[in-house]
Short mmCIF file of all heavy atoms in Angstrom, two decimals:
data_model
loop_
_atom_site.label_atom_id
_atom_site.label_comp_id
_atom_site.label_asym_id
_atom_site.label_seq_id
_atom_site.Cartn_x
_atom_site.Cartn_y
_atom_site.Cartn_z
N TYR A 43 -4.11 16.79 -2.43
CA TYR A 43 -4.20 17.67 -1.26
C TYR A 43 -3.13 17.29 -0.25
O TYR A 43 -2.94 16.11 0.03
CB TYR A 43 -5.60 17.56 -0.61
CG TYR A 43 -6.73 17.95 -1.52
CD1 TYR A 43 -7.26 17.07 -2.44
CD2 TYR A 43 -7.26 19.25 -1.47
CE1 TYR A 43 -8.31 17.46 -3.28
CE2 TYR A 43 -8.31 19.64 -2.32
CZ TYR A 43 -8.80 18.72 -3.22
OH TYR A 43 -9.80 19.09 -4.07
N TYR A 45 -1.06 18.36 3.55
CA TYR A 45 -1.29 18.98 4.84
C TYR A 45 -0.05 18.82 5.73
O TYR A 45 0.71 17.86 5.61
CB TYR A 45 -2.48 18.32 5.56
CG TYR A 45 -3.70 18.13 4.74
CD1 TYR A 45 -3.85 17.07 3.89
CD2 TYR A 45 -4.78 19.04 4.84
CE1 TYR A 45 -5.02 16.87 3.16
CE2 TYR A 45 -5.93 18.87 4.09
CZ TYR A 45 -6.03 17.78 3.24
OH TYR A 45 -7.17 17.63 2.52
N TYR A 47 0.59 18.98 10.01
CA TYR A 47 0.06 19.05 11.36
C TYR A 47 1.25 18.97 12.28
O TYR A 47 2.36 18.51 11.94
CB TYR A 47 -0.87 17.86 11.66
CG TYR A 47 -2.14 17.83 10.88
CD1 TYR A 47 -2.21 17.34 9.58
CD2 TYR A 47 -3.35 18.26 11.46
CE1 TYR A 47 -3.38 17.27 8.86
CE2 TYR A 47 -4.52 18.18 10.76
CZ TYR A 47 -4.54 17.69 9.47
OH TYR A 47 -5.75 17.66 8.78
N GLN A 49 2.26 18.07 16.63
CA GLN A 49 1.79 17.59 17.93
C GLN A 49 2.87 17.87 18.96
O GLN A 49 3.92 17.21 18.97
CB GLN A 49 1.48 16.06 17.88
CG GLN A 49 0.91 15.51 19.14
CD GLN A 49 0.65 14.03 19.08
OE1 GLN A 49 1.30 13.33 18.31
NE2 GLN A 49 -0.31 13.55 19.83
N LYS A 54 -2.72 18.01 21.75
CA LYS A 54 -3.48 17.54 20.61
C LYS A 54 -2.69 17.65 19.32
O LYS A 54 -1.76 18.46 19.21
CB LYS A 54 -4.75 18.41 20.41
CG LYS A 54 -5.83 18.21 21.41
CD LYS A 54 -7.07 19.03 21.00
CE LYS A 54 -8.15 18.90 22.00
NZ LYS A 54 -9.41 19.55 21.56
N VAL A 55 -3.03 16.86 18.34
CA VAL A 55 -2.53 17.09 16.98
C VAL A 55 -3.24 18.33 16.44
O VAL A 55 -4.47 18.42 16.47
CB VAL A 55 -2.87 15.86 16.09
CG1 VAL A 55 -2.43 16.10 14.64
CG2 VAL A 55 -2.18 14.59 16.64
N PHE A 57 -3.70 21.29 13.37
CA PHE A 57 -3.54 21.60 11.95
C PHE A 57 -2.65 22.84 11.77
O PHE A 57 -2.79 23.84 12.49
CB PHE A 57 -4.93 21.90 11.35
CG PHE A 57 -4.93 22.51 10.00
CD1 PHE A 57 -4.60 21.76 8.89
CD2 PHE A 57 -5.31 23.82 9.83
CE1 PHE A 57 -4.58 22.34 7.63
CE2 PHE A 57 -5.31 24.41 8.58
CZ PHE A 57 -5.00 23.64 7.45
N GLU A 68 -5.63 26.70 3.06
CA GLU A 68 -6.08 27.05 4.39
C GLU A 68 -4.89 26.99 5.36
O GLU A 68 -3.96 26.22 5.17
CB GLU A 68 -7.14 26.05 4.87
CG GLU A 68 -7.94 26.43 6.06
CD GLU A 68 -9.08 25.45 6.35
OE1 GLU A 68 -9.29 24.51 5.56
OE2 GLU A 68 -9.75 25.62 7.38
N PHE A 103 3.68 16.16 11.39
CA PHE A 103 3.12 15.15 10.53
C PHE A 103 2.74 15.78 9.21
O PHE A 103 2.04 16.80 9.15
CB PHE A 103 1.88 14.50 11.16
CG PHE A 103 2.16 13.67 12.38
CD1 PHE A 103 1.82 14.15 13.65
CD2 PHE A 103 2.74 12.42 12.26
CE1 PHE A 103 2.07 13.36 14.74
CE2 PHE A 103 2.97 11.64 13.38
CZ PHE A 103 2.65 12.12 14.64
N SER A 107 -4.22 13.58 0.71
CA SER A 107 -5.48 12.91 0.40
C SER A 107 -5.74 13.03 -1.09
O SER A 107 -5.25 13.96 -1.78
CB SER A 107 -6.65 13.49 1.19
OG SER A 107 -6.93 14.81 0.83
N ALA A 108 -6.53 12.09 -1.62
CA ALA A 108 -6.91 12.10 -2.99
C ALA A 108 -8.00 13.13 -3.24
O ALA A 108 -8.51 13.70 -2.29
CB ALA A 108 -7.40 10.70 -3.40
N SER A 109 -8.39 13.33 -4.48
CA SER A 109 -9.50 14.22 -4.75
C SER A 109 -10.76 13.44 -4.37
O SER A 109 -10.75 12.26 -4.16
CB SER A 109 -9.54 14.56 -6.22
OG SER A 109 -9.70 13.39 -7.01
N GLY A 110 -11.84 14.16 -4.26
CA GLY A 110 -13.10 13.53 -3.89
C GLY A 110 -13.42 13.84 -2.45
O GLY A 110 -12.64 13.58 -1.56
N VAL A 111 -14.57 14.39 -2.30
CA VAL A 111 -15.03 14.76 -0.97
C VAL A 111 -15.14 13.53 -0.15
O VAL A 111 -15.63 12.49 -0.55
CB VAL A 111 -16.39 15.47 -1.09
CG1 VAL A 111 -17.01 15.62 0.27
CG2 VAL A 111 -16.24 16.81 -1.80
N GLY A 112 -14.62 13.58 1.07
CA GLY A 112 -14.63 12.46 1.99
C GLY A 112 -13.41 11.58 1.92
O GLY A 112 -13.27 10.66 2.73
N SER A 113 -12.50 11.87 0.95
CA SER A 113 -11.26 11.08 0.90
C SER A 113 -10.49 11.29 2.19
O SER A 113 -10.28 12.43 2.60
CB SER A 113 -10.41 11.54 -0.26
OG SER A 113 -11.04 11.23 -1.48
N PRO A 114 -10.07 10.19 2.87
CA PRO A 114 -9.38 10.36 4.10
C PRO A 114 -7.93 10.86 3.91
O PRO A 114 -7.37 10.70 2.82
CB PRO A 114 -9.38 8.95 4.68
CG PRO A 114 -9.39 8.08 3.51
CD PRO A 114 -10.23 8.77 2.47
N GLN A 115 -7.40 11.46 4.91
CA GLN A 115 -6.03 11.90 4.94
C GLN A 115 -5.15 10.77 5.42
O GLN A 115 -5.42 10.12 6.39
CB GLN A 115 -5.87 13.14 5.79
CG GLN A 115 -6.62 14.35 5.21
CD GLN A 115 -6.58 15.56 6.09
OE1 GLN A 115 -5.71 15.72 6.96
NE2 GLN A 115 -7.53 16.45 5.91
N PHE A 117 -1.39 9.76 6.72
CA PHE A 117 -0.33 10.42 7.44
C PHE A 117 1.04 9.70 7.32
O PHE A 117 1.08 8.48 7.20
CB PHE A 117 -0.68 10.53 8.95
CG PHE A 117 -1.69 11.57 9.23
CD1 PHE A 117 -3.02 11.34 8.97
CD2 PHE A 117 -1.33 12.77 9.79
CE1 PHE A 117 -4.00 12.31 9.27
CE2 PHE A 117 -2.29 13.72 10.09
CZ PHE A 117 -3.61 13.52 9.79
N GLY A 118 2.11 10.48 7.32
CA GLY A 118 3.44 9.90 7.49
C GLY A 118 3.71 9.58 8.95
O GLY A 118 2.91 9.86 9.82
N ASP A 119 4.94 9.05 9.18
CA ASP A 119 5.31 8.68 10.55
C ASP A 119 5.81 9.86 11.37
O ASP A 119 6.03 9.69 12.55
CB ASP A 119 6.42 7.59 10.50
CG ASP A 119 5.87 6.22 10.16
OD1 ASP A 119 4.63 6.06 10.18
OD2 ASP A 119 6.67 5.29 9.85
N VAL B 297 -13.41 18.56 19.41
CA VAL B 297 -13.59 17.14 19.69
C VAL B 297 -13.10 16.87 21.09
O VAL B 297 -12.03 17.33 21.48
CB VAL B 297 -12.76 16.30 18.69
CG1 VAL B 297 -12.85 14.82 19.03
CG2 VAL B 297 -13.22 16.53 17.27
N TYR B 325 -17.77 15.05 8.76
CA TYR B 325 -17.28 13.67 8.65
C TYR B 325 -16.58 13.35 9.95
O TYR B 325 -15.97 14.21 10.57
CB TYR B 325 -16.30 13.52 7.47
CG TYR B 325 -16.87 13.88 6.11
CD1 TYR B 325 -16.15 14.71 5.25
CD2 TYR B 325 -18.10 13.32 5.67
CE1 TYR B 325 -16.62 15.03 3.98
CE2 TYR B 325 -18.55 13.65 4.40
CZ TYR B 325 -17.82 14.47 3.59
OH TYR B 325 -18.28 14.78 2.32
N PHE B 327 -13.84 10.53 12.00
CA PHE B 327 -12.76 9.61 11.79
C PHE B 327 -12.21 9.10 13.13
O PHE B 327 -12.22 9.86 14.12
CB PHE B 327 -11.60 10.30 11.00
CG PHE B 327 -12.01 10.89 9.71
CD1 PHE B 327 -12.51 12.18 9.63
CD2 PHE B 327 -11.88 10.18 8.52
CE1 PHE B 327 -12.87 12.76 8.44
CE2 PHE B 327 -12.23 10.77 7.33
CZ PHE B 327 -12.75 12.02 7.26
N TYR B 329 -8.44 7.58 14.18
CA TYR B 329 -7.07 7.26 13.79
C TYR B 329 -6.41 6.52 14.94
O TYR B 329 -6.72 6.79 16.12
CB TYR B 329 -6.24 8.48 13.44
CG TYR B 329 -6.55 9.09 12.08
CD1 TYR B 329 -7.61 9.96 11.87
CD2 TYR B 329 -5.72 8.78 11.01
CE1 TYR B 329 -7.85 10.49 10.63
CE2 TYR B 329 -5.93 9.31 9.73
CZ TYR B 329 -7.02 10.15 9.57
OH TYR B 329 -7.28 10.69 8.30
N GLN B 331 -2.54 5.40 16.55
CA GLN B 331 -1.06 5.66 16.50
C GLN B 331 -0.36 4.63 17.36
O GLN B 331 -0.48 4.69 18.63
CB GLN B 331 -0.76 7.08 17.01
CG GLN B 331 0.68 7.47 16.87
CD GLN B 331 0.94 8.90 17.32
OE1 GLN B 331 0.28 9.42 18.22
NE2 GLN B 331 1.90 9.56 16.66
N GLN B 335 5.13 5.44 15.55
CA GLN B 335 4.60 5.41 14.19
C GLN B 335 3.69 6.62 14.00
O GLN B 335 3.34 7.37 14.92
CB GLN B 335 3.81 4.14 13.92
CG GLN B 335 4.70 2.90 13.90
CD GLN B 335 3.95 1.67 13.49
OE1 GLN B 335 2.97 1.71 12.73
NE2 GLN B 335 4.38 0.52 13.97
N GLY B 336 3.25 6.81 12.76
CA GLY B 336 2.36 7.91 12.42
C GLY B 336 0.91 7.53 12.68
O GLY B 336 0.60 6.46 13.25
N LEU B 337 0.02 8.38 12.28
CA LEU B 337 -1.42 8.15 12.46
C LEU B 337 -1.94 7.30 11.29
O LEU B 337 -1.74 7.62 10.15
CB LEU B 337 -2.18 9.50 12.47
CG LEU B 337 -1.75 10.45 13.60
CD1 LEU B 337 -2.19 11.86 13.28
CD2 LEU B 337 -2.38 9.99 14.91
N LEU B 339 -5.44 5.62 9.63
CA LEU B 339 -6.87 5.67 9.61
C LEU B 339 -7.42 4.30 10.05
O LEU B 339 -7.09 3.25 9.47
CB LEU B 339 -7.39 6.02 8.24
CG LEU B 339 -8.89 6.08 8.06
CD1 LEU B 339 -9.45 7.29 8.84
CD2 LEU B 339 -9.31 6.19 6.60
N LYS B 342 -13.99 5.44 9.29
CA LYS B 342 -14.57 6.74 9.00
C LYS B 342 -16.07 6.65 8.85
O LYS B 342 -16.57 5.62 8.44
CB LYS B 342 -13.92 7.33 7.75
CG LYS B 342 -14.18 6.49 6.51
CD LYS B 342 -13.48 7.04 5.28
CE LYS B 342 -13.76 6.11 4.08
NZ LYS B 342 -13.06 6.54 2.84
N LEU B 344 -18.86 8.80 6.77
CA LEU B 344 -19.13 9.87 5.83
C LEU B 344 -20.66 10.06 5.66
O LEU B 344 -21.13 11.19 5.70
CB LEU B 344 -18.51 9.55 4.46
CG LEU B 344 -17.00 9.28 4.45
CD1 LEU B 344 -16.53 8.98 3.04
CD2 LEU B 344 -16.25 10.43 5.05
N PHE B 383 -7.16 8.41 18.28
CA PHE B 383 -7.57 9.80 18.08
C PHE B 383 -8.85 9.85 17.31
O PHE B 383 -8.97 9.30 16.21
CB PHE B 383 -6.48 10.58 17.33
CG PHE B 383 -5.21 10.76 18.08
CD1 PHE B 383 -4.16 9.82 17.95
CD2 PHE B 383 -5.01 11.84 18.92
CE1 PHE B 383 -2.99 9.94 18.66
CE2 PHE B 383 -3.82 11.99 19.61
CZ PHE B 383 -2.80 11.06 19.48
N ARG B 387 -14.10 16.54 10.34
CA ARG B 387 -13.81 17.46 9.25
C ARG B 387 -15.14 17.94 8.67
O ARG B 387 -16.08 17.16 8.61
CB ARG B 387 -13.02 16.73 8.18
CG ARG B 387 -12.42 17.60 7.10
CD ARG B 387 -11.50 16.82 6.19
NE ARG B 387 -12.22 16.36 5.01
CZ ARG B 387 -11.87 15.24 4.35
NH1 ARG B 387 -10.92 14.48 4.79
NH2 ARG B 387 -12.53 14.90 3.27
N GLY B 390 -18.19 17.88 3.12
CA GLY B 390 -18.13 18.54 1.80
C GLY B 390 -16.87 19.28 1.51
O GLY B 390 -16.71 19.86 0.48
N GLN B 392 -12.38 19.50 1.74
CA GLN B 392 -11.13 18.78 1.83
C GLN B 392 -10.24 19.42 2.90
O GLN B 392 -9.04 19.29 2.87
CB GLN B 392 -10.39 18.82 0.47
CG GLN B 392 -11.07 18.04 -0.62
CD GLN B 392 -10.82 16.56 -0.47
OE1 GLN B 392 -10.32 16.08 0.53
NE2 GLN B 392 -11.14 15.80 -1.50
N GLY B 393 -10.91 20.08 3.83
CA GLY B 393 -10.19 20.87 4.79
C GLY B 393 -9.54 20.06 5.88
O GLY B 393 -9.51 18.84 5.83
N ASN B 394 -9.07 20.80 6.86
CA ASN B 394 -8.28 20.20 7.92
C ASN B 394 -9.08 19.36 8.89
O ASN B 394 -10.30 19.54 9.05
CB ASN B 394 -7.55 21.25 8.68
CG ASN B 394 -8.50 22.27 9.28
OD1 ASN B 394 -9.15 23.01 8.57
ND2 ASN B 394 -8.60 22.30 10.62
N LEU B 395 -8.42 18.42 9.50
CA LEU B 395 -9.01 17.62 10.55
C LEU B 395 -8.84 18.33 11.90
O LEU B 395 -7.81 18.96 12.15
CB LEU B 395 -8.32 16.26 10.65
CG LEU B 395 -8.51 15.31 9.48
CD1 LEU B 395 -7.49 14.19 9.49
CD2 LEU B 395 -9.91 14.74 9.47
N PHE B 397 -8.70 17.33 15.76
CA PHE B 397 -8.46 16.13 16.54
C PHE B 397 -8.85 16.34 17.99
O PHE B 397 -8.76 17.42 18.56
CB PHE B 397 -6.97 15.77 16.48
CG PHE B 397 -6.52 15.14 15.22
CD1 PHE B 397 -6.06 15.90 14.17
CD2 PHE B 397 -6.55 13.75 15.05
CE1 PHE B 397 -5.63 15.33 12.99
CE2 PHE B 397 -6.13 13.14 13.90
CZ PHE B 397 -5.67 13.92 12.85
N GLY B 398 -9.20 15.18 18.61
CA GLY B 398 -9.29 15.15 20.06
C GLY B 398 -7.90 14.94 20.66
O GLY B 398 -6.92 14.76 19.94
N LYS B 399 -7.83 14.92 21.97
CA LYS B 399 -6.54 14.81 22.64
C LYS B 399 -5.99 13.38 22.63
O LYS B 399 -4.83 13.19 22.99
CB LYS B 399 -6.65 15.26 24.12
CG LYS B 399 -6.62 16.76 24.30
CD LYS B 399 -6.53 17.08 25.79
CE LYS B 399 -5.55 18.21 26.01
NZ LYS B 399 -5.40 18.55 27.41
#
Side-chain angles (χ1 to χ4, degrees):
Chain A
Y43 297 84
Y45 311 83
Y47 293 81
Q49 185 181 26
K54 289 186 181 186
V55 176
F57 168 73
E68 193 173 356
F103 292 106
S107 68
S109 62
V111 169
S113 294
Q115 294 174 22
F117 285 76
D119 284 347
Chain B
V297 177
Y325 299 132
F327 304 86
Y329 282 83
Q331 185 178 32
Q335 294 185 29
L337 298 162
L339 180 68
K342 62 183 178 182
L344 304 181
F383 293 90
R387 191 172 94 208
Q392 291 283 11
N394 57 293
L395 292 165
F397 284 90
K399 279 188 137 181

